[in-house]
Amino acid sequence: MKIIYPGSFDPLTLGHIDLIKRLAKMYDEVIVAVLINDNKNSLFTLEEREEIIKEEIEAENLTNVSIKSFDGLLVNFAKKEDVKLIARGLRQVTDYEYEKNIAMFNAELYEGLETIFLLSNPKYSFISSSGVREVIRFKGDVSTFVSSNVKKKIEENFYK
Ligand code: PNS
């Protein structure tokens, strides 16, 4: 069984990595789908975000995980990939309220599409990419939010 794990991953956090590893154990194939968010003020470019995920996947030796990018509606990407399973992480109840609606929109747009929710690891349940971006803006210590590789990239790019 194949599952799509979509997101902006700007930047990839420890919470994302934990979810990818758990999904890789549960499903035959995991497609990490990176949103091409041109209109959003991204910290990292699409290429950089993809590269970071690739390095992390290789470091963890996750051979059944691939990385793809998508633009526009997620359901169109899912149709193209012929996959009817989407995974999203839930950190808090506010995530559930937001994600439930998106899942319903997606199910309406693509009949038979299911969204699977995984509870985030409590250790990481407060970590968000937007929170990490705020820490980066003020050159704070990101060690406990992202991997050492991502931290290195952040410092090289933004802490000079
Ligand atoms: O990491 P994020 O930013 O929480 O990921 C959100 C993402 C990329 C999964 C979501 O915004 C998305 O699927 N965007 C594509 C547009 C779409 O299909 N929206 C849902 C229908 S309303």
Side-chain angles (χ1 to χ4, degrees):
M1 264 178 128
K2 259 194 215 181
I3 194 157
I4 295 171
Y5 178 48
S8 306
F9 308 109
D10 187 37
L12 183 80
T13 68
L14 292 176
H16 293 134
I17 297 168
D18 181 61
L19 234 76
I20 294 169
K21 280 160 74 176
R22 287 161 61 194
L23 288 167
K25 277 193 198 146
M26 294 163 65
Y27 294 90
D28 299 316
E29 241 185 273
V30 180
I31 303 171
V32 178
V34 187
L35 180 72
I36 309 171
N37 43 358
D38 287 335
N39 54 351
K40 225 166 124 183
N41 279 336
S42 305
L43 196 63
F44 288 104
T45 64
L46 171 70
E47 290 72 26
E48 288 167 335
R49 286 179 281 141
E50 285 180 315
E51 184 61 24
I52 285 171
I53 301 168
K54 187 170 167 265
E55 285 169 3
E56 220 57 53
I57 286 170
E58 281 171 3
E60 298 286 347
N61 204 19
L62 303 171
T63 49
N64 60 340
V65 179
S66 59
I67 307 154
K68 294 189 176 173
S69 58
F70 78 102
D71 209 356
L73 288 178
L74 176 59
V75 289
N76 291 342
F77 173 76
K79 282 178 191 168
K80 200 179 79 190
E81 294 294 322
D82 197 23
V83 177
K84 284 191 160 185
L85 269 181
I86 304 283
R88 291 287 288 166
L90 294 181
R91 293 162 303 182
Q92 347 253 357
V93 76
T94 44
D95 277 352
Y96 167 73
E97 284 173 1
Y98 175 75
E99 294 293 340
K100 181 186 71 172
N101 249 43
I102 304 274
M104 287 176 175
F105 262 103
N106 285 341
E108 199 69 27
L109 290 164
Y110 186 7
E111 205 190 330
L113 181 96
E114 295 283 359
T115 303
I116 308 287
F117 296 108
L118 260 71
L119 289 182
S120 73
N121 186 321
K123 283 195 286 198
Y124 307 132
S125 65
F126 68 97
I127 303 175
S128 62
S129 292
S130 58
V132 175
R133 287 199 298 274
E134 183 81 350
V135 175
I136 295 169
R137 199 152 76 91
F138 298 106
K139 296 187 166 58
D141 183 3
V142 292
S143 311
T144 54
F145 315 132
V146 300
S147 71
S148 52
N149 184 39
V150 177
K151 182 185 175 202
K152 198 167 141 251
K153 290 246 159 42
I154 289 169
E155 290 180 345
E156 280 169 8
N157 281 278
F158 309 107
Y159 286 19
K160 281 194 176 148

